[in-house]
Amino acid sequence: MIRLFRLQTLILLIGTIFAWVTVYTDFARFYNFYGTLTRIRNCVIPNPLTTPCFYGAFVFIAGFIWSLLILRGKPEERIAQEKKLRLLLVAGTVFAWGNFAYETLRFYLTKNGPKVSCSGIPTDNILLTSCFYGSVIFLATLAVSLIAIRRGKTYRA
C-alpha cells in the first residue's frame, strides 16, 4: 500500500514541477513580450493568469501537499484521506481533459494562420502541448489513487 502512496506522491511531484515550470515560462514569455503582467485584453500571447495551466498548477501543488500528508499520516486514516484526495484528482482530471478537448477543438477548427497551444505557442501537434501532458499526469495520478483505494478496501476486509 505504501508504495502506491509513494508513487502517487512522485507523480504529483512531477506534475507540480512540470506545471510550475510551464507557468514560469509562460510568465517570462509574456513579460518579455509586453513588459508587464497586468495586461489582460488584446494580447497576442495570453496572460498566464488567464490560462488553464496557471490554475492546474495550483491543483497539482495542493494534491502533492495532500499526498505528503497522507504518507505521513496514521495508516488507519490513509484510505479516508485518499478518498478525499480522489475528489480533487477527479476535479483536476476533468478540468484538464476538458481544457485539452477545448484546445483540440480550437486547434482543428483553425483553418488559416498558425495553430497555437494553450500557452499561445505555435504548434503542429496538439499532443505535444503542456495541456496534453498535464492531462495525462492528472489521469495517471487518479488511476493510482483508485488502485490504492481499491487495495485499501481489500486490506480491511
Side-chain angles (χ1 to χ4, degrees), residues 10 18 29 52 72 88 104 129 141 153:
L10 176 63
F18 174 77
R29 182 182 313 106
R72 303 194 97 208
L88 178 71
T104 302
T129 63
T141 309
K153 287 179 182 177

Side-chain angles (χ1 to χ4, degrees), residues 125-143:
N125 187 345
I126 196 73
L127 298 179
L128 297 177
T129 63
S130 58
C131 292
F132 178 70
Y133 294 137
S135 299
V136 169
I137 295 169
F138 266 122
L139 185 60
T141 309
L142 177 60

Side-chain angles (χ1 to χ4, degrees), residues 16-116:
T16 299
I17 292 169
F18 174 77
W20 283 103
V21 166
T22 301
V23 167
Y24 173 78
T25 304
D26 289 350
F27 270 109
R29 182 182 313 106
F30 187 83
Y31 186 80
N32 287 336
F33 194 78
Y34 290 108
T36 182
L37 296 176
T38 59
R39 185 174 177 168
I40 301 291
R41 295 186 180 186
N42 300 324
C43 300
V44 175
I45 299 171
N47 186 316
L49 294 173
T50 65
T51 63
C53 288
F54 181 71
Y55 300 101
F58 282 104
V59 177
F60 269 121
I61 201 160
F64 174 66
I65 292 168
W66 201 337
S67 71
L68 287 174
L69 294 173
I70 290 171
L71 273 175
R72 303 194 97 208
K74 297 177 184 174
E76 61 273 8
E77 296 175 1
R78 285 185 179 143
I79 294 300
Q81 285 299 313
E82 185 66 29
K83 287 179 180 179
K84 293 175 185 175
L85 174 59
R86 177 186 57 188
L87 295 176
L88 178 71
L89 296 175
V90 166
T93 302
V94 169
F95 178 76
W97 284 103
N99 284 305
F100 178 70
Y102 173 72
E103 292 298 328
T104 302
L105 183 65
R106 272 190 21 192
F107 181 84
Y108 285 110
L109 290 179
T110 302
K111 303 262 188 234
N112 298 330
K115 296 182 178 191
V116 295

